[in-house]
Amino acid sequence: MMAEAAFAALPAKFREQMGDVVLRVEDFATQEQLASVDIDNRWHLSGLYEGEPLPDRSIWESGRLPPRIWLFRQPLIAEWRETGVRMDDLVRHVVVHEAGHHFGFSDEDMHWLEDKAD
């Protein structure tokens, strides 16, 4: 699976801290997932991180579901068709972006890092 390959390609120091993260693939986000990121159109969300970012976790908390990275198949396919970007590149981008949320990076932080890398 492309998502697993993208996950496995993360640098070891990051991968080691993502041991409990679960990768999930669905056709579309649920209405609750869309609402959680203030998006109305299900075609506009290709990935989502759900969970407590590492910097916000406490050793005193237990019983939570493991963090999850969701990939939404239909929006990814639509973006692939629209842009012509290779599907594995799109999936890798989404996995890396959502993994960034696991480490506490904001969308703005990740856009800044991506811009600096170009």
Side-chain angles (χ1 to χ4, degrees):
M1 175 161 117
M2 281 186 240
E4 291 170 341
F7 195 82
L10 292 170
K13 68 180 186 176
F14 291 107
R15 229 180 23 255
E16 292 165 0
Q17 296 182 54
M18 296 189 69
D20 60 341
V21 175
V22 176
L23 287 172
R24 298 286 312 264
V25 179
E26 293 290 337
D27 280 337
F28 290 101
T30 66
Q31 288 300 316
E32 293 80 18
Q33 289 169 320
L34 292 169
S36 75
V37 290
D38 295 322
I39 293 177
D40 295 325
N41 188 330
R42 68 184 187 160
W43 290 95
H44 292 170
L45 187 61
S46 57
L48 180 68
Y49 174 77
E50 289 182 331
E52 192 75 25
L54 287 178
D56 298 341
R57 289 188 184 180
S58 167
I59 61 170
W60 303 109
E61 296 177 9
S62 65
R64 289 185 179 206
L65 290 173
R68 292 166 307 282
I69 291 177
W70 293 87
L71 298 175
F72 303 114
R73 184 179 299 116
Q74 294 303 323
L76 281 166
I77 291 170
E79 186 174 349
W80 167 66
R81 288 179 177 155
E82 182 178 312
T83 65
V85 174
R86 289 176 27 164
M87 181 60 79
D88 59 333
D89 289 337
L90 286 174
V91 169
R92 182 174 43 258
H93 172 77
V94 173
V95 168
V96 168
H97 183 91
E98 301 311 330
H101 287 304
H102 180 68
F103 292 100
F105 300 149
S106 69
D107 283 335
E108 293 78 24
D109 293 336
M110 286 182 276
H111 289 302
W112 181 82
L113 288 169
E114 287 175 3
D115 292 344
K116 287 294 184 188
D118 289 343

